[in-house]
Amino acid sequence: MSSANARSPVLPRVFRLVRWLLLLILLLLLLPYLLTPLYRLVNPISTPMLWRWASGAKVERAYVPIDKVARPLPLAVMAAEDARFCSHSGVDWKELREAIEDADDLTEARGGSGITQQVAKNLFLWPGRSFVRKALEFPLALWIDLTLPKRRVMEIYLNIAEWGPDGQFGAEAGARRAFGKSAAALTAREAALMAAVLPNPRRRDAARPGPGVRRLAAIYEVRARASVSAAVCLGLGR
């Protein structure tokens, strides 16, 4: 009897521990949704930047507002990464469906993550492909699109995207590395080259583009010049 009484307090302690663990998990899941509205005014940093800082690796990033970025760059980035950015609600379901059909597997789908999804991943999640990450990414992207204007989402993306092989994050660091100039001074061709390296800036180089990158840049430059509606959506001047 005394042995049973000695063991009886163990169960309540286990239940309290489980309850605290569940509350912690819930808080971690809710935190991105609480932080996102703050990013209308606060300039965020990304999880890849935090990881590099924590590991002692170099990080180059100078945050610049979208009106201090050359007009062709956001237009070229939209042409390259998410052509329907201004018309979908955070997730381009048509593009995603086509990517899944091509890959036969959600975790292997390439080209299905639009700009808002990439913002969600880079701000709150982790790299790599998994069903868990995608399941978290979709509602986050919808929430980001609901709470932040398109112009602000694009501005955040331009400042957190990895744009070089050695810790260059954001358009300013990427432009200075590739062309030795600020993001505000980029030409239409240079902006298109920067957009063309975004899928893999560690292997593609805007400063020394190969034939494939040059070909993509030519396409993005033409599309960017024709993107009148996109310029209006992002509030870009002439």
Side-chain angles (χ1 to χ4, degrees):
M1 187 73 173
S2 61
S3 176
N5 289 337
R7 288 195 300 267
S8 60
V10 173
L11 280 179
R13 286 200 296 269
V14 171
F15 287 142
R16 281 198 298 271
L17 179 61
V18 170
R19 184 176 62 192
W20 280 110
L21 286 174
L22 291 175
L23 286 173
L24 179 61
I25 292 170
L26 180 61
L27 178 61
L28 290 174
L29 291 174
L30 289 177
L31 187 59
Y33 294 89
L34 299 175
L35 289 174
T36 297
L38 300 179
Y39 291 156
R40 292 180 73 101
L41 301 173
V42 177
N43 296 330
I45 58 176
S46 67
T47 50
M49 287 185 226
L50 288 172
W51 176 254
R52 287 184 67 89
W53 274 323
S55 61
K58 183 175 75 171
V59 173
E60 293 181 27
R61 200 278 287 261
Y63 199 100
V64 290
I66 196 168
D67 57 6
K68 300 297 183 184
V69 172
R71 183 178 183 273
L73 184 60
L75 297 176
V77 166
M78 191 186 303
E81 296 288 289
D82 192 350
R84 287 185 283 268
F85 172 71
C86 286
S87 60
H88 64 63
S89 57
V91 178
D92 188 341
W93 298 109
K94 180 180 178 181
E95 179 72 18
L96 179 64
R97 184 170 59 251
E98 292 173 355
I100 293 173
E101 288 172 355
D102 290 341
D104 296 323
D105 186 341
L106 179 60
T107 61
E108 296 178 357
R110 294 178 182 269
S113 290
I115 287 170
T116 313
Q117 288 174 255
Q118 293 182 56
V119 167
K121 179 192 73 174
N122 288 333
L123 289 183
F124 303 119
L125 302 173
W126 61 91
R129 296 181 178 86
S130 71
F131 286 111
V132 173
R133 202 209 74 196
K134 281 292 183 184
L136 295 172
E137 181 184 294
F138 289 149
L140 269 174
L142 296 172
W143 177 246
I144 289 170
D145 187 82
L146 181 66
T147 55
L148 300 180
K150 294 285 188 183
R151 177 181 168 92
R152 179 59 174 164
V153 175
M154 175 60 79
E155 181 178 291
I156 290 173
Y157 180 73
L158 292 174
N159 280 281
I160 65 173
E162 189 170 8
W163 239 311
D166 191 26
Q168 288 84 20
F169 290 89
E172 185 70 13
R176 292 196 177 279
R177 178 193 174 275
F179 304 112
K181 60 174 67 174
S182 72
L186 292 171
T187 66
R189 178 62 175 172
E190 290 165 345
L193 285 168
M194 285 189 62
V197 305
L198 272 176
N200 196 339
R202 299 188 182 192
R203 298 187 64 179
R204 298 182 182 183
D205 192 342
R208 293 178 292 276
V213 170
R214 290 197 300 270
R215 184 171 62 254
L216 288 173
I219 295 171
Y220 300 152
E221 185 177 357
V222 170
R223 290 179 181 175
R225 290 185 189 279
S227 299
V228 177
S229 61
V232 172
C233 160
L234 296 177
L236 302 176
R238 290 185 176 275

